[in-house]
Amino acid sequence: MLGQNLTKLLRGPATAFYRLRMDGLFGGVAVQHGNNKPKSLHKTRRIWLPNIQKVTVYSAILDKKLKLRMTSRILRTIDKKGGLDNYLLETKDKNIASPLGLELKQTLQKALNAK
């Protein structure tokens, strides 16, 4: 037990760079793993990260700007639906797929019911 803790201390914290922080709107997009396969057929492992952007988006129902991390795919979907509010209210919970998105959706629904 002591030896394991000592080796962790010497090596430093384990970095899990391939996991997504779920504090944004990602729409179910995650990190993908695979191989580079050049002409020499020598496979090397690699990862493909989603295109995450930091964006300020306006919510008409809440009447304020929100700073969010989201993928470019979700940005296109928000434009298609006609704004952040319409995107969150019209999209199913399983397709939003993030705790922050579901929390925003509940906040919007409460604000609509209060008006």
Side-chain angles (χ1 to χ4, degrees):
M1 186 72 177
L2 180 63
Q4 289 176 347
N5 290 338
L6 186 61
T7 55
K8 284 182 183 178
L9 218 148
L10 293 175
R11 290 182 188 165
T15 57
F17 64 90
Y18 56 90
R19 294 189 180 168
L20 283 178
R21 290 177 18 198
M22 296 307 286
D23 62 347
L25 297 174
F26 303 123
V29 176
V31 177
Q32 293 183 342
H33 303 272
N35 293 319
N36 275 344
K37 192 172 174 191
K39 190 174 180 181
S40 66
L41 302 180
H42 179 74
K43 295 179 186 174
T44 55
R45 295 296 288 173
R46 68 158 291 181
I47 59 173
W48 285 269
L49 298 173
N51 186 5
I52 297 175
Q53 306 294 325
K54 293 178 184 173
V55 183
T56 303
V57 186
Y58 179 74
S59 171
I61 295 175
L62 299 177
D63 194 31
K64 65 180 180 178
K65 294 180 181 178
L66 304 169
K67 287 186 180 182
L68 299 172
R69 296 171 67 233
M70 61 180 71
T71 59
S72 57
R73 175 180 158 190
I74 295 300
L75 275 172
R76 287 194 306 270
T77 308
I78 288 172
D79 285 341
K80 180 180 175 183
K81 298 272 186 171
L84 178 68
D85 301 335
N86 289 339
Y87 166 72
L88 289 172
L89 293 174
E90 293 175 7
T91 307
K92 295 178 183 176
D93 289 349
K94 69 175 186 175
N95 293 338
I96 292 175
S98 77
L100 177 73
L102 295 174
E103 184 180 325
L104 279 173
K105 184 174 182 175
Q106 288 177 353
T107 306
L108 288 174
Q109 288 173 339
K110 287 179 185 176
L112 274 178
N113 292 337
K115 286 185 179 181

